[in-house]
Amino acid sequence: NNNNNNNINNNNINNINNNINNTDQFSSFCFAVAPMMDWTDRHCRHFHRLLSSKSILFTEMVSTNAIIHGDKDILLSKGDAENPVIIQFGGADPNHFAICSKEAELRGFNGVNINVGCPSDRVQYAKIGACLMAEPKLVAECVYQMKKTVKIPVSVKSRIGIDDQDSYEFLHNFVSEIVSAGCFCRL
């Protein structure tokens, strides 16, 4: 995939600045309710929306493999009252991320998010979550494929580091790689 990597690496600093400043859709929101497995289901999100109309809600993480091979109507269900709501995906296949992002956009989600933060052993065996921080080029390729496919914002939830890789330089390099691929960034 050398050609795709060249497309990502050829983006310049203007692309990074455009993605950092591309916050119009969410600029009036005070806080975001983070995705939490077995917690932020549609009932919880509805309750959170009743508490505040000025929040961005995230779904719990949904595996891209589950969406590709499972019941999309159940896995991608949400109520209009939840908006704005961003769906969080877990996976490692750029093509699966693109397909799932399109499905989410068609079903009215306001954004898509890649989980690169979950430290759980349950997800890391499938190359999901925090372990992906060790592969910024793969995450950037996922972002790139998603951005080619949808018009809604694409974001990444990450940690500040993994294992003994928790320096500013490590985080800066990771963020630079995914932002250059078109990731939505809010500072």
Side-chain angles (χ1 to χ4, degrees), residues 7-9 11-12 15-16 19-20 113-117 132-147 154-159 170-186:
N7 289 336
I8 293 168
N9 293 332
N11 289 325
N12 60 28
N15 188 29
I16 294 172
N19 284 303
I20 289 171
N113 178 269
I114 301 174
N115 182 329
V116 184
L132 287 174
M133 285 195 76
E135 299 189 51
K137 290 194 183 310
L138 173 60
V139 177
E141 182 62 25
C142 293
V143 168
Y144 180 74
Q145 294 301 323
M146 294 164 80
K147 289 291 293 182
V154 174
S155 61
V156 174
K157 180 189 104 178
S158 71
R159 304 186 85 69
F170 174 81
L171 181 60
H172 181 271
N173 291 339
F174 178 80
V175 171
S176 295
E177 188 80 37
I178 63 173
V179 169
S180 70
C183 185
F184 172 76
C185 183
R186 174 110 190 234

Side-chain angles (χ1 to χ4, degrees), residues 4 6 18 31 41 44-45 50 63 65-69 72 95 102 121 123 131-133 139-140 152 157-158 164 183:
N4 286 337
N6 287 338
N18 288 338
F31 66 96
D41 61 14
C44 180
R45 294 189 310 267
L50 292 174
S63 163
N65 281 334
I67 294 170
I68 297 290
H69 303 291
K72 291 173 185 60
N95 294 322
K102 190 60 177 178
D121 291 338
V123 298
C131 63
L132 287 174
M133 285 195 76
V139 177
I152 56 178
K157 180 189 104 178
S158 71
D164 60 347
C183 185

Side-chain angles (χ1 to χ4, degrees), residues 31 33 44-55:
F31 66 96
V33 177
C44 180
R45 294 189 310 267
H46 182 81
F47 175 67
H48 287 158
R49 182 56 66 219
L50 292 174
L51 294 173
S52 174
S53 62
K54 293 290 186 183
S55 61

